[in-house]
Amino acid sequence: MATLGDIGLAAAINIISALIFLVAFAILRLQPFNDRVYFPKWYLKGLRHSPTRSGAFVAKFVNVDWRAYIRFLNWIPDALKMPEPELIDHAGLDSAVYLRIYLLGLKIFVPITLLAWAILVPVNWTNSTLTKSDFTYSDIDKLSISNVPLGSLRFWTHIVMAYAFSFWTCYVLKTEYAKVAAMRLQFVASEKRRPDQYTVLVRNVPPDADESVSECVEHFFLVNHQDHYLMHQGVYNANKLAKLVKEKKSKQNWLDYYQLKYSRDQSKRPMMKTGFLGCFGAKVDAIEHQIAEIERLTKEIAEEKQRVEKDPKSTMPASFVSFKSRWGAAVCAQTQQSRNPTLWLTEWAPEPRDVFWNNLAIPYVSLTIRKLIIAVGFFFLTFFFMIPIAFVQTLASLDGIRKKAPFLKVIIDEPFIKAFIQGFLPGIALKIFLIFLPTILMMMSKFEGWLSISALERKSASKYYIFTIVNVFLGNIIAGAAFEQLSTFLNQSANQIPKTIGVAVPMKASFFITYIMVDGWAGIAGEILRLKPLIFYHLKNFFLVKTEKDREEAMDPGSVGFNTGEPQIQLYFLLGLVYAVVTPFLLPFILVFFGLAYVVYRHQIINVYNQEYESAAAFWPDVHGRIIFALCFSQLSLLGLLGTKHATQSAPFLIALPVLTISFHLYCKGRYEPAFTKYPIQEARMRDTLEQAREPNLNLKGYLQNAYVHPVFKDDDEDEDEDFMMKLETDSVLVPTKRQSRMNTPVPSKVSAGSSPSLPDAVIHEHYTA
């Protein structure tokens, strides 16, 4: 059991580590040759130029201005200077609202920490229950509820504080939900025109023996949305084509590398092996081999394009349908289109940057099966993962080391080594063990078939959060292996589970304190150093970069990473709310995390991250819901703990608290969540009216025509693809309908034999998208 000395040593190690990272960053960012690593966002916006282009030779690589080193910590106030409206304009609403999660943590926990230390800590400390008992305890336990005697009237203090903390948390959550909802509506109303504002994704188009999917879509929307329908773009399975294009790009990069290498030393031609990872197989001339591979792939790409053009199986029963107004798109996206609710399914199209093209080729009928498979797989992943985590955590404890390696007993009994193992090793062991988890969860979300990057990140975040709750939180506070824990929960009655968790919570406070310091202090400071992108940029810059475009591609600005960052934050909300009443000693460590993370991520969002998409803070309902879950969990665990403390008179007063919290959540869900799931018709009409007044001659069809074309057709080979794209458009416009009956088409169709010139806006420009 970690003592205050152990925690102090762990704090010293993590503080020193964090300071080393921050100082190293502050110095490295000043060097001209690192400028693209630490300020890539400004380069991508075209607002910053490389300082290595001019000046003395040494000054191109090293900052020789001594005054800059005196001001090396100026990045902190600079990160805080940019006002929020400017930040939204600079980085987008998603990034600005993501930062508000850290501010939300500070708003909730600063008053809670002050109140807990002013009231609860003295109440707990001024008892002698643990001193008189035979239990093993530490000084931290003397500050917790464990030091209050059984049946004491002092438990009323904890109940009152639980109500106070819950009411304050709900008040802050409501205020923030209202603020973010207003920010979202204002952002949507004031932002520039985007293709997704006019476009709906239609899925599960029913097959028709007489017509193609494209003809079927056109006829359906000419009939049911004849005054608002503008055009549609078909969805095609171009996944194989995308893989070939990606492989060709990789071969081109290798060719550039070998040519650059040969230009530096022409005395020897570069050679390579053609086998696995370049370590096996025949040895060949690297340049000639890559040229041959590129020629082969070019031919395969052309053949695949022909196949996509001619093969009806490449056509998916889906389409991006665009409308003449936002109002028309809003009506279509938010209403049922057919008598059969499983056909003609409509939803808002993701913005073009947000589309995950690979999953558009997945048949709609298989999505339910895929989600069921992943649900079962995720269940087993979550509980089986508990076994290695428990094993690692056992090895990272004194008793575990004594048992597995008794010859180390002499070493680990040294005070410094003992303090290091108990105060630092468990946290870092768990952190290392979870490195590959986000990649696994993202692969699972992709298999489920979500159609946008933002949806993939939100679903991965949900899985990560559940995994964190079960393995990092419950897996560490409850002893035993995975099946033993599962058996315990299944065999217990429902009213015994809160007691089991409640008793275990205070005993693991020291472990979570060390985890917060490793993950939340040193880990956050390490994020700003960007060690991996720094190394990879200089390797690419030396071996691959020949032009300014190559240098721009070598930059790796990254993004916020909602799928990993938000669940991490939610773990700290859970720990803070659970331990606020039980062990207030943990709260200051939470505050340091939220404060440090806010400054670091604000700097990264301003200068580094280049967000891949903009969802207008669509993730906020998830953030709100998880904090509500953490609040209810803390209330139930406290209720279970008081049940074991013989607080029979006071404990029942806690029963009303979860009920009130859930009622509050339902109120917020009904009041604010529609702003994140629906687009008001009134708002859409207002924007359309303003746009018509300002731009009466807007060519909306020209603006939307290529918006949802698959990126493989927008590559650098645009000249090569121009004839292919023109052929798609021509074929789409001139194909006559094969429908035998006109009963579903009261007006002539542009693609029918009886096309009428009175419908110029119904012309379809269809492209192959996947």
Side-chain angles (χ1 to χ4, degrees), residues 138-179:
S138 67
D139 292 334
I140 297 174
D141 295 320
K142 293 172 69 175
L143 299 173
S144 73
I145 197 172
S146 301
N147 201 33
V148 179
L150 299 177
S152 173
L153 292 177
R154 294 191 178 201
F155 286 123
W156 280 105
T157 308
H158 298 84
I159 291 174
V160 171
M161 288 297 99
Y163 271 91
F165 296 164
S166 297
F167 287 163
W168 171 250
T169 302
C170 289
Y171 170 76
V172 176
L173 282 175
K174 178 183 178 299
T175 304
E176 202 66 19
Y177 213 154
K179 174 67 176 175

mmCIF file of all heavy atoms in Angstrom, residues 138-179:
data_model
loop_
_atom_site.group_PDB
_atom_site.id
_atom_site.type_symbol
_atom_site.label_atom_id
_atom_site.label_comp_id
_atom_site.label_asym_id
_atom_site.label_seq_id
_atom_site.Cartn_x
_atom_site.Cartn_y
_atom_site.Cartn_z
ATOM 1 N N SER A 138 -2.513 3.524 5.189
ATOM 2 C CA SER A 138 -1.513 4.559 4.938
ATOM 3 C C SER A 138 -2.070 5.903 5.390
ATOM 4 O O SER A 138 -3.239 6.018 5.780
ATOM 5 C CB SER A 138 -1.164 4.613 3.447
ATOM 6 O OG SER A 138 -2.277 5.071 2.695
ATOM 7 N N ASP A 139 -1.223 6.917 5.300
ATOM 8 C CA ASP A 139 -1.669 8.257 5.686
ATOM 9 C C ASP A 139 -2.790 8.764 4.775
ATOM 10 O O ASP A 139 -3.625 9.567 5.195
ATOM 11 C CB ASP A 139 -0.489 9.236 5.638
ATOM 12 C CG ASP A 139 0.542 8.935 6.723
ATOM 13 O OD1 ASP A 139 0.148 8.362 7.749
ATOM 14 O OD2 ASP A 139 1.728 9.267 6.521
ATOM 15 N N ILE A 140 -2.789 8.293 3.544
ATOM 16 C CA ILE A 140 -3.854 8.701 2.620
ATOM 17 C C ILE A 140 -5.210 8.200 3.123
ATOM 18 O O ILE A 140 -6.218 8.914 3.049
ATOM 19 C CB ILE A 140 -3.568 8.152 1.205
ATOM 20 C CG1 ILE A 140 -2.270 8.751 0.666
ATOM 21 C CG2 ILE A 140 -4.722 8.444 0.255
ATOM 22 C CD1 ILE A 140 -1.827 8.159 -0.658
ATOM 23 N N ASP A 141 -5.233 6.978 3.658
ATOM 24 C CA ASP A 141 -6.485 6.415 4.159
ATOM 25 C C ASP A 141 -7.028 7.205 5.346
ATOM 26 O O ASP A 141 -8.245 7.243 5.570
ATOM 27 C CB ASP A 141 -6.280 4.959 4.564
ATOM 28 C CG ASP A 141 -5.933 4.067 3.383
ATOM 29 O OD1 ASP A 141 -6.528 4.272 2.310
ATOM 30 O OD2 ASP A 141 -5.050 3.204 3.514
ATOM 31 N N LYS A 142 -6.139 7.836 6.093
ATOM 32 C CA LYS A 142 -6.588 8.634 7.243
ATOM 33 C C LYS A 142 -7.328 9.896 6.794
ATOM 34 O O LYS A 142 -8.064 10.501 7.575
ATOM 35 C CB LYS A 142 -5.395 9.003 8.122
ATOM 36 C CG LYS A 142 -4.769 7.785 8.808
ATOM 37 C CD LYS A 142 -3.477 8.124 9.511
ATOM 38 C CE LYS A 142 -3.721 9.012 10.736
ATOM 39 N NZ LYS A 142 -2.468 9.244 11.495
ATOM 40 N N LEU A 143 -7.126 10.278 5.526
ATOM 41 C CA LEU A 143 -7.847 11.436 4.984
ATOM 42 C C LEU A 143 -9.146 11.025 4.292
ATOM 43 O O LEU A 143 -9.875 11.883 3.799
ATOM 44 C CB LEU A 143 -6.962 12.176 3.969
ATOM 45 C CG LEU A 143 -5.641 12.753 4.496
ATOM 46 C CD1 LEU A 143 -4.823 13.302 3.342
ATOM 47 C CD2 LEU A 143 -5.909 13.837 5.525
ATOM 48 N N SER A 144 -9.427 9.721 4.274
ATOM 49 C CA SER A 144 -10.586 9.232 3.530
ATOM 50 C C SER A 144 -11.725 8.858 4.479
ATOM 51 O O SER A 144 -11.591 8.898 5.711
ATOM 52 C CB SER A 144 -10.194 8.014 2.698
ATOM 53 O OG SER A 144 -10.016 6.883 3.532
ATOM 54 N N ILE A 145 -12.822 8.452 3.872
ATOM 55 C CA ILE A 145 -14.002 8.060 4.635
ATOM 56 C C ILE A 145 -13.745 6.782 5.434
ATOM 57 O O ILE A 145 -14.481 6.478 6.378
ATOM 58 C CB ILE A 145 -15.190 7.877 3.666
ATOM 59 C CG1 ILE A 145 -16.520 7.881 4.415
ATOM 60 C CG2 ILE A 145 -15.037 6.603 2.851
ATOM 61 C CD1 ILE A 145 -17.727 7.901 3.498
ATOM 62 N N SER A 146 -12.683 6.055 5.082
ATOM 63 C CA SER A 146 -12.348 4.826 5.807
ATOM 64 C C SER A 146 -12.004 5.092 7.264
ATOM 65 O O SER A 146 -12.093 4.193 8.119
ATOM 66 C CB SER A 146 -11.154 4.129 5.132
ATOM 67 O OG SER A 146 -11.452 3.812 3.797
ATOM 68 N N ASN A 147 -11.628 6.334 7.591
ATOM 69 C CA ASN A 147 -11.217 6.679 8.953
ATOM 70 C C ASN A 147 -12.385 7.078 9.844
ATOM 71 O O ASN A 147 -12.206 7.400 11.016
ATOM 72 C CB ASN A 147 -10.182 7.814 8.908
ATOM 73 C CG ASN A 147 -9.343 7.888 10.164
ATOM 74 O OD1 ASN A 147 -9.045 6.864 10.788
ATOM 75 N ND2 ASN A 147 -8.970 9.099 10.560
ATOM 76 N N VAL A 148 -13.601 7.069 9.266
ATOM 77 C CA VAL A 148 -14.788 7.429 10.046
ATOM 78 C C VAL A 148 -15.349 6.150 10.675
ATOM 79 O O VAL A 148 -15.518 5.144 9.979
ATOM 80 C CB VAL A 148 -15.850 8.101 9.156
ATOM 81 C CG1 VAL A 148 -17.094 8.454 9.964
ATOM 82 C CG2 VAL A 148 -15.269 9.344 8.486
ATOM 83 N N PRO A 149 -15.642 6.146 11.977
ATOM 84 C CA PRO A 149 -16.106 4.918 12.642
ATOM 85 C C PRO A 149 -17.476 4.474 12.139
ATOM 86 O O PRO A 149 -18.265 5.261 11.622
ATOM 87 C CB PRO A 149 -16.158 5.321 14.119
ATOM 88 C CG PRO A 149 -16.238 6.811 14.124
ATOM 89 C CD PRO A 149 -15.486 7.281 12.929
ATOM 90 N N LEU A 150 -17.755 3.183 12.333
ATOM 91 C CA LEU A 150 -19.027 2.608 11.897
ATOM 92 C C LEU A 150 -20.194 3.283 12.599
ATOM 93 O O LEU A 150 -20.150 3.546 13.805
ATOM 94 C CB LEU A 150 -19.044 1.110 12.189
ATOM 95 C CG LEU A 150 -17.977 0.250 11.497
ATOM 96 C CD1 LEU A 150 -18.095 -1.194 11.960
ATOM 97 C CD2 LEU A 150 -18.101 0.341 9.989
ATOM 98 N N GLY A 151 -21.257 3.552 11.834
ATOM 99 C CA GLY A 151 -22.471 4.121 12.404
ATOM 100 C C GLY A 151 -22.341 5.548 12.883
ATOM 101 O O GLY A 151 -23.236 6.054 13.569
ATOM 102 N N SER A 152 -21.268 6.242 12.543
ATOM 103 C CA SER A 152 -21.043 7.610 13.028
ATOM 104 C C SER A 152 -22.041 8.587 12.405
ATOM 105 O O SER A 152 -22.440 8.451 11.243
ATOM 106 C CB SER A 152 -19.621 8.045 12.702
ATOM 107 O OG SER A 152 -19.441 9.414 13.021
ATOM 108 N N LEU A 153 -22.400 9.576 13.192
ATOM 109 C CA LEU A 153 -23.258 10.651 12.670
ATOM 110 C C LEU A 153 -22.518 11.539 11.683
ATOM 111 O O LEU A 153 -23.134 12.329 10.960
ATOM 112 C CB LEU A 153 -23.789 11.493 13.827
ATOM 113 C CG LEU A 153 -24.789 10.791 14.759
ATOM 114 C CD1 LEU A 153 -25.173 11.715 15.902
ATOM 115 C CD2 LEU A 153 -26.036 10.358 13.990
ATOM 116 N N ARG A 154 -21.194 11.406 11.627
ATOM 117 C CA ARG A 154 -20.409 12.217 10.691
ATOM 118 C C ARG A 154 -20.713 11.861 9.232
ATOM 119 O O ARG A 154 -20.394 12.639 8.330
ATOM 120 C CB ARG A 154 -18.918 12.031 10.951
ATOM 121 C CG ARG A 154 -18.457 12.575 12.295
ATOM 122 C CD ARG A 154 -16.957 12.605 12.393
ATOM 123 N NE ARG A 154 -16.502 13.176 13.666
ATOM 124 C CZ ARG A 154 -15.294 13.677 13.863
ATOM 125 N NH1 ARG A 154 -14.402 13.670 12.886
ATOM 126 N NH2 ARG A 154 -14.966 14.181 15.042
ATOM 127 N N PHE A 155 -21.318 10.719 9.012
ATOM 128 C CA PHE A 155 -21.657 10.342 7.639
ATOM 129 C C PHE A 155 -22.704 11.280 7.040
ATOM 130 O O PHE A 155 -22.839 11.359 5.814
ATOM 131 C CB PHE A 155 -22.157 8.893 7.591
ATOM 132 C CG PHE A 155 -21.063 7.879 7.768
ATOM 133 C CD1 PHE A 155 -21.133 6.931 8.791
ATOM 134 C CD2 PHE A 155 -19.960 7.882 6.926
ATOM 135 C CE1 PHE A 155 -20.128 6.002 8.959
ATOM 136 C CE2 PHE A 155 -18.951 6.939 7.091
ATOM 137 C CZ PHE A 155 -19.026 6.001 8.115
ATOM 138 N N TRP A 156 -23.437 11.985 7.896
ATOM 139 C CA TRP A 156 -24.367 12.993 7.383
ATOM 140 C C TRP A 156 -23.611 14.063 6.587
ATOM 141 O O TRP A 156 -24.131 14.612 5.609
ATOM 142 C CB TRP A 156 -25.151 13.639 8.528
ATOM 143 C CG TRP A 156 -26.297 12.791 9.010
ATOM 144 C CD1 TRP A 156 -26.354 12.060 10.164
ATOM 145 C CD2 TRP A 156 -27.544 12.591 8.348
ATOM 146 N NE1 TRP A 156 -27.549 11.409 10.275
ATOM 147 C CE2 TRP A 156 -28.322 11.721 9.175
ATOM 148 C CE3 TRP A 156 -28.103 13.045 7.169
ATOM 149 C CZ2 TRP A 156 -29.595 11.309 8.828
ATOM 150 C CZ3 TRP A 156 -29.377 12.639 6.821
ATOM 151 C CH2 TRP A 156 -30.110 11.782 7.644
ATOM 152 N N THR A 157 -22.409 14.375 7.022
ATOM 153 C CA THR A 157 -21.588 15.354 6.303
ATOM 154 C C THR A 157 -21.297 14.877 4.888
ATOM 155 O O THR A 157 -21.386 15.647 3.925
ATOM 156 C CB THR A 157 -20.259 15.589 7.053
ATOM 157 O OG1 THR A 157 -20.529 15.906 8.408
ATOM 158 C CG2 THR A 157 -19.469 16.710 6.390
ATOM 159 N N HIS A 158 -20.955 13.608 4.755
ATOM 160 C CA HIS A 158 -20.652 13.067 3.434
ATOM 161 C C HIS A 158 -21.890 13.063 2.539
ATOM 162 O O HIS A 158 -21.793 13.321 1.327
ATOM 163 C CB HIS A 158 -20.099 11.652 3.572
ATOM 164 C CG HIS A 158 -18.809 11.574 4.332
ATOM 165 N ND1 HIS A 158 -18.784 11.529 5.718
ATOM 166 C CD2 HIS A 158 -17.521 11.560 3.925
ATOM 167 C CE1 HIS A 158 -17.518 11.473 6.123
ATOM 168 N NE2 HIS A 158 -16.740 11.487 5.062
ATOM 169 N N ILE A 159 -23.056 12.793 3.126
ATOM 170 C CA ILE A 159 -24.289 12.784 2.333
ATOM 171 C C ILE A 159 -24.635 14.187 1.855
ATOM 172 O O ILE A 159 -24.989 14.402 0.687
ATOM 173 C CB ILE A 159 -25.436 12.177 3.150
ATOM 174 C CG1 ILE A 159 -25.189 10.677 3.350
ATOM 175 C CG2 ILE A 159 -26.784 12.405 2.466
ATOM 176 C CD1 ILE A 159 -26.180 10.004 4.259
ATOM 177 N N VAL A 160 -24.509 15.158 2.764
ATOM 178 C CA VAL A 160 -24.779 16.558 2.375
ATOM 179 C C VAL A 160 -23.813 16.993 1.278
ATOM 180 O O VAL A 160 -24.195 17.645 0.297
ATOM 181 C CB VAL A 160 -24.680 17.477 3.608
ATOM 182 C CG1 VAL A 160 -24.739 18.945 3.185
ATOM 183 C CG2 VAL A 160 -25.794 17.177 4.595
ATOM 184 N N MET A 161 -22.544 16.626 1.417
ATOM 185 C CA MET A 161 -21.551 16.984 0.397
ATOM 186 C C MET A 161 -21.848 16.286 -0.929
ATOM 187 O O MET A 161 -21.629 16.854 -1.999
ATOM 188 C CB MET A 161 -20.149 16.610 0.880
ATOM 189 C CG MET A 161 -19.598 17.497 1.983
ATOM 190 S SD MET A 161 -19.377 19.222 1.458
ATOM 191 C CE MET A 161 -20.854 19.975 2.139
ATOM 192 N N ALA A 162 -22.343 15.038 -0.868
ATOM 193 C CA ALA A 162 -22.701 14.331 -2.102
ATOM 194 C C ALA A 162 -23.806 15.080 -2.841
ATOM 195 O O ALA A 162 -23.759 15.220 -4.076
ATOM 196 C CB ALA A 162 -23.145 12.910 -1.777
ATOM 197 N N TYR A 163 -24.809 15.572 -2.085
ATOM 198 C CA TYR A 163 -25.862 16.376 -2.713
ATOM 199 C C TYR A 163 -25.303 17.677 -3.276
ATOM 200 O O TYR A 163 -25.639 18.089 -4.393
ATOM 201 C CB TYR A 163 -26.965 16.669 -1.689
ATOM 202 C CG TYR A 163 -28.052 15.621 -1.652
ATOM 203 C CD1 TYR A 163 -27.971 14.529 -0.789
ATOM 204 C CD2 TYR A 163 -29.166 15.708 -2.484
ATOM 205 C CE1 TYR A 163 -28.962 13.556 -0.750
ATOM 206 C CE2 TYR A 163 -30.174 14.742 -2.446
ATOM 207 C CZ TYR A 163 -30.061 13.672 -1.585
ATOM 208 O OH TYR A 163 -31.050 12.714 -1.563
ATOM 209 N N ALA A 164 -24.441 18.331 -2.512
ATOM 210 C CA ALA A 164 -23.866 19.600 -2.963
ATOM 211 C C ALA A 164 -23.039 19.403 -4.231
ATOM 212 O O ALA A 164 -23.172 20.166 -5.203
ATOM 213 C CB ALA A 164 -23.007 20.207 -1.853
ATOM 214 N N PHE A 165 -22.194 18.374 -4.239
ATOM 215 C CA PHE A 165 -21.359 18.113 -5.412
ATOM 216 C C PHE A 165 -22.213 17.750 -6.625
ATOM 217 O O PHE A 165 -21.932 18.183 -7.750
ATOM 218 C CB PHE A 165 -20.369 16.982 -5.124
ATOM 219 C CG PHE A 165 -19.366 17.302 -4.048
ATOM 220 C CD1 PHE A 165 -18.621 16.286 -3.453
ATOM 221 C CD2 PHE A 165 -19.164 18.604 -3.620
ATOM 222 C CE1 PHE A 165 -17.695 16.568 -2.462
ATOM 223 C CE2 PHE A 165 -18.238 18.904 -2.631
ATOM 224 C CZ PHE A 165 -17.506 17.876 -2.050
ATOM 225 N N SER A 166 -23.270 16.970 -6.407
ATOM 226 C CA SER A 166 -24.135 16.558 -7.513
ATOM 227 C C SER A 166 -24.903 17.740 -8.087
ATOM 228 O O SER A 166 -24.984 17.902 -9.324
ATOM 229 C CB SER A 166 -25.119 15.473 -7.048
ATOM 230 O OG SER A 166 -24.440 14.309 -6.630
ATOM 231 N N PHE A 167 -25.465 18.564 -7.223
ATOM 232 C CA PHE A 167 -26.213 19.726 -7.701
ATOM 233 C C PHE A 167 -25.296 20.690 -8.461
ATOM 234 O O PHE A 167 -25.679 21.240 -9.499
ATOM 235 C CB PHE A 167 -26.903 20.443 -6.541
ATOM 236 C CG PHE A 167 -28.097 19.701 -5.997
ATOM 237 C CD1 PHE A 167 -28.616 20.016 -4.751
ATOM 238 C CD2 PHE A 167 -28.700 18.685 -6.720
ATOM 239 C CE1 PHE A 167 -29.718 19.332 -4.235
ATOM 240 C CE2 PHE A 167 -29.798 18.005 -6.222
ATOM 241 C CZ PHE A 167 -30.310 18.329 -4.980
ATOM 242 N N TRP A 168 -24.088 20.889 -7.945
ATOM 243 C CA TRP A 168 -23.148 21.791 -8.612
ATOM 244 C C TRP A 168 -22.748 21.222 -9.982
ATOM 245 O O TRP A 168 -22.715 21.954 -10.975
ATOM 246 C CB TRP A 168 -21.908 22.011 -7.759
ATOM 247 C CG TRP A 168 -20.809 22.748 -8.489
ATOM 248 C CD1 TRP A 168 -19.629 22.262 -8.910
ATOM 249 C CD2 TRP A 168 -20.844 24.131 -8.887
ATOM 250 N NE1 TRP A 168 -18.901 23.230 -9.557
ATOM 251 C CE2 TRP A 168 -19.625 24.388 -9.561
ATOM 252 C CE3 TRP A 168 -21.780 25.151 -8.755
ATOM 253 C CZ2 TRP A 168 -19.323 25.648 -10.077
ATOM 254 C CZ3 TRP A 168 -21.479 26.408 -9.281
ATOM 255 C CH2 TRP A 168 -20.268 26.635 -9.921
ATOM 256 N N THR A 169 -22.485 19.924 -10.039
ATOM 257 C CA THR A 169 -22.125 19.293 -11.308
ATOM 258 C C THR A 169 -23.252 19.409 -12.319
ATOM 259 O O THR A 169 -23.023 19.734 -13.496
ATOM 260 C CB THR A 169 -21.767 17.804 -11.089
ATOM 261 O OG1 THR A 169 -20.688 17.711 -10.153
ATOM 262 C CG2 THR A 169 -21.362 17.143 -12.398
ATOM 263 N N CYS A 170 -24.477 19.164 -11.885
ATOM 264 C CA CYS A 170 -25.627 19.272 -12.791
ATOM 265 C C CYS A 170 -25.822 20.711 -13.268
ATOM 266 O O CYS A 170 -26.130 20.948 -14.448
ATOM 267 C CB CYS A 170 -26.895 18.772 -12.099
ATOM 268 S SG CYS A 170 -26.926 16.981 -11.842
ATOM 269 N N TYR A 171 -25.625 21.667 -12.371
ATOM 270 C CA TYR A 171 -25.762 23.076 -12.763
ATOM 271 C C TYR A 171 -24.736 23.440 -13.837
ATOM 272 O O TYR A 171 -25.077 24.072 -14.857
ATOM 273 C CB TYR A 171 -25.587 23.975 -11.544
ATOM 274 C CG TYR A 171 -25.469 25.446 -11.894
ATOM 275 C CD1 TYR A 171 -26.592 26.182 -12.265
ATOM 276 C CD2 TYR A 171 -24.226 26.076 -11.885
ATOM 277 C CE1 TYR A 171 -26.482 27.520 -12.608
ATOM 278 C CE2 TYR A 171 -24.108 27.414 -12.219
ATOM 279 C CZ TYR A 171 -25.232 28.130 -12.590
ATOM 280 O OH TYR A 171 -25.112 29.452 -12.935
ATOM 281 N N VAL A 172 -23.491 23.039 -13.637
ATOM 282 C CA VAL A 172 -22.447 23.339 -14.623
ATOM 283 C C VAL A 172 -22.718 22.623 -15.937
ATOM 284 O O VAL A 172 -22.554 23.196 -17.024
ATOM 285 C CB VAL A 172 -21.055 22.955 -14.065
ATOM 286 C CG1 VAL A 172 -19.980 23.162 -15.122
ATOM 287 C CG2 VAL A 172 -20.730 23.772 -12.820
ATOM 288 N N LEU A 173 -23.174 21.366 -15.856
ATOM 289 C CA LEU A 173 -23.483 20.606 -17.068
ATOM 290 C C LEU A 173 -24.612 21.260 -17.866
ATOM 291 O O LEU A 173 -24.536 21.361 -19.095
ATOM 292 C CB LEU A 173 -23.876 19.175 -16.710
ATOM 293 C CG LEU A 173 -22.748 18.205 -16.357
ATOM 294 C CD1 LEU A 173 -23.324 16.874 -15.906
ATOM 295 C CD2 LEU A 173 -21.817 18.000 -17.542
ATOM 296 N N LYS A 174 -25.656 21.703 -17.182
ATOM 297 C CA LYS A 174 -26.773 22.346 -17.869
ATOM 298 C C LYS A 174 -26.322 23.643 -18.536
ATOM 299 O O LYS A 174 -26.653 23.917 -19.698
ATOM 300 C CB LYS A 174 -27.903 22.634 -16.887
ATOM 301 C CG LYS A 174 -29.099 23.357 -17.514
ATOM 302 C CD LYS A 174 -30.155 23.688 -16.497
ATOM 303 C CE LYS A 174 -31.305 24.450 -17.137
ATOM 304 N NZ LYS A 174 -30.879 25.741 -17.739
ATOM 305 N N THR A 175 -25.560 24.438 -17.803
ATOM 306 C CA THR A 175 -25.067 25.706 -18.352
ATOM 307 C C THR A 175 -24.206 25.462 -19.585
ATOM 308 O O THR A 175 -24.336 26.151 -20.606
ATOM 309 C CB THR A 175 -24.254 26.466 -17.284
ATOM 310 O OG1 THR A 175 -25.057 26.641 -16.123
ATOM 311 C CG2 THR A 175 -23.820 27.821 -17.802
ATOM 312 N N GLU A 176 -23.350 24.457 -19.502
ATOM 313 C CA GLU A 176 -22.445 24.166 -20.612
ATOM 314 C C GLU A 176 -23.191 23.576 -21.802
ATOM 315 O O GLU A 176 -22.890 23.895 -22.946
ATOM 316 C CB GLU A 176 -21.348 23.198 -20.144
ATOM 317 C CG GLU A 176 -20.102 23.217 -20.987
ATOM 318 C CD GLU A 176 -19.344 24.519 -20.919
ATOM 319 O OE1 GLU A 176 -19.575 25.292 -19.958
ATOM 320 O OE2 GLU A 176 -18.506 24.769 -21.809
ATOM 321 N N TYR A 177 -24.170 22.718 -21.530
ATOM 322 C CA TYR A 177 -24.972 22.131 -22.616
ATOM 323 C C TYR A 177 -25.702 23.239 -23.384
ATOM 324 O O TYR A 177 -25.720 23.252 -24.628
ATOM 325 C CB TYR A 177 -25.977 21.146 -22.032
ATOM 326 C CG TYR A 177 -26.301 19.962 -22.919
ATOM 327 C CD1 TYR A 177 -26.740 18.752 -22.369
ATOM 328 C CD2 TYR A 177 -26.204 20.020 -24.303
ATOM 329 C CE1 TYR A 177 -27.039 17.643 -23.161
ATOM 330 C CE2 TYR A 177 -26.507 18.923 -25.108
ATOM 331 C CZ TYR A 177 -26.918 17.747 -24.517
ATOM 332 O OH TYR A 177 -27.213 16.661 -25.313
ATOM 333 N N ALA A 178 -26.295 24.169 -22.654
ATOM 334 C CA ALA A 178 -26.997 25.283 -23.295
ATOM 335 C C ALA A 178 -26.037 26.141 -24.111
ATOM 336 O O ALA A 178 -26.351 26.573 -25.228
ATOM 337 C CB ALA A 178 -27.698 26.127 -22.228
ATOM 338 N N LYS A 179 -24.861 26.386 -23.554
ATOM 339 C CA LYS A 179 -23.859 27.206 -24.244
ATOM 340 C C LYS A 179 -23.390 26.531 -25.530
ATOM 341 O O LYS A 179 -23.329 27.167 -26.594
ATOM 342 C CB LYS A 179 -22.670 27.447 -23.307
ATOM 343 C CG LYS A 179 -21.486 28.166 -23.946
ATOM 344 C CD LYS A 179 -21.834 29.594 -24.309
ATOM 345 C CE LYS A 179 -20.618 30.328 -24.857
ATOM 346 N NZ LYS A 179 -20.949 31.694 -25.324
#
